[in-house]
Amino acid sequence: MVGVMHRQPAILLLVMAPALWAGNFVVGRAVHSVVEPFALNYMRWFVAGMVALPVLFSDRALVAQALRTHLLPLLLLAGLGIIGFNTLLYSGLRSVPAGAGGLLFGITPLLILLFARISRQRRIARLQVAGTLVSLSGVWFVTGQVLGNGTGAGGAALVLAASLCWACYSVGLARARIPLPGITCLALTIWIGLLAMTPALMLGVVAVPSAETMRQIAAPVAFLGLGASLLGFFSWQTGIAAVGASAAGPFLHLIPAFSMLLSMVVLGESYGPPALAGLVLIVAGVVIARGRA
């Protein structure tokens, strides 16, 4: 009975994390005409970084050692997970509806599975090949829905590039084995990413939002920094610690489902049978591929 009591809150946390991450798609789409993708990404991580800053100070000895021994992996992780992923995603969401973006992102667990196997120099199993083909057919359905709405393929390509970025970040994080607690590693990569992005804003390469724009997007940015970033990460890590990574993995399939649902409720988006078929095929492909993970 005690084990059940521990498992139930963990499952709630594992559901909360995908819901928060799905909110990232909805917010990114909602403010796409107000703020540039790079600036939105910077503000998101600045909020998260300021809240997480005390963690860096409390673990400063460990942080200094990690910078000495794992600087290159940390730079790569910051480039992929902090700078690349959300900048590409927000750029794609300028022309792709939030729900469709979430559905396209649904292929990410499969990419992680394949990249992890390749990084271990293992042959890709037949079920993984079959799962890849099924998921790609789902992506084709979703892309067809996006193009059918009169949107160019560029936005869909950017969202898929963001998925590729996140898959590389996830596998790289596991392979790098940074000698830091999870939240400290996140805080450090956030600040590395912020330091790398700051010159683009200071030199005027990217336009700094006006004071009026900042007021308009204050609440969305707070959600991205506190909810989609820190609370989402905390919920996911806590859930994994309780039930294990293999049991937690399938909950990632909720991201495309939540993205579609939230986009319909919050943004008034609508999706026909092709998008629903795409969701089923993408998730089915990942499930098939995991049969020989």
Side-chain angles (χ1 to χ4, degrees):
M1 187 67 174
V2 175
V4 173
M5 293 298 291
H6 282 292
R7 186 177 180 84
Q8 288 177 344
I11 290 175
L12 290 176
L13 290 173
L14 290 172
V15 172
M16 182 189 298
L20 290 168
W21 291 334
N24 185 36
F25 291 82
V26 174
V27 171
R29 176 64 177 172
V31 301
H32 77 277
S33 62
V34 180
V35 60
E36 292 186 2
F38 187 92
L40 178 61
N41 188 37
Y42 185 91
M43 289 186 290
R44 167 206 176 129
W45 289 118
F46 183 80
V47 171
M50 291 302 295
V51 175
L53 192 58
V55 175
L56 290 182
F57 282 107
S58 64
D59 290 341
R60 55 187 177 275
L62 292 175
V63 168
Q65 181 177 353
L67 287 171
R68 287 193 299 268
T69 60
H70 291 74
L71 179 58
L72 181 57
L74 285 166
L75 290 173
L76 291 174
L77 291 174
L80 290 167
I82 305 302
I83 303 174
F85 168 66
N86 281 291
T87 300
L88 288 169
L89 177 63
Y90 297 150
S91 298
L93 290 173
R94 303 188 87 174
S95 57
V96 172
L103 292 178
L104 292 171
F105 184 76
I107 200 173
T108 306
L110 177 58
L111 295 176
I112 292 173
L113 185 65
L114 296 177
F115 291 169
R117 197 171 187 91
I118 292 171
S119 70
R120 294 194 296 264
Q121 297 183 340
R122 295 183 182 178
R123 190 179 65 176
I124 298 175
R126 292 180 180 177
L127 279 180
Q128 291 174 331
V129 174
T132 301
L133 294 176
V134 172
S135 280
L136 287 176
S137 67
V139 170
W140 181 81
F141 270 99
V142 176
T143 305
Q145 167 100 8
V146 173
L147 296 178
N149 287 339
T151 309
L158 287 169
V159 174
L160 289 173
S163 299
L164 184 66
C165 245
W166 187 255
C168 291
Y169 167 81
S170 301
V171 175
L173 184 62
R175 295 283 292 175
R177 296 182 180 180
I178 307 296
L180 291 171
I183 188 63
T184 308
C185 184
L186 176 64
L188 181 55
T189 53
I190 287 173
W191 278 102
I192 291 174
L194 285 171
L195 290 174
M197 288 189 284
T198 297
L201 293 171
M202 294 183 64
L203 296 175
V205 177
V206 177
V208 178
S210 65
E212 177 61 27
T213 299
M214 293 289 286
R215 284 192 293 270
Q216 291 179 21
I217 63 175
V221 168
F223 167 79
L224 293 177
L226 301 177
S229 299
L230 296 180
L231 184 56
F233 177 86
F234 172 79
S235 300
W236 186 250
Q237 289 297 107
T238 305
I240 286 179
V243 305
S246 60
F251 284 88
L252 287 173
H253 304 328
L254 292 174
I255 296 177
F258 276 134
S259 297
M260 178 181 285
L261 178 61
L262 289 174
S263 69
M264 293 171 69
V265 173
V266 178
L267 302 178
E269 296 179 358
S270 60
Y271 296 92
L276 296 175
L279 171 62
V280 172
L281 288 170
I282 290 171
V283 174
V286 178
V287 172
I288 291 170
R290 287 181 65 86
R292 290 287 297 275

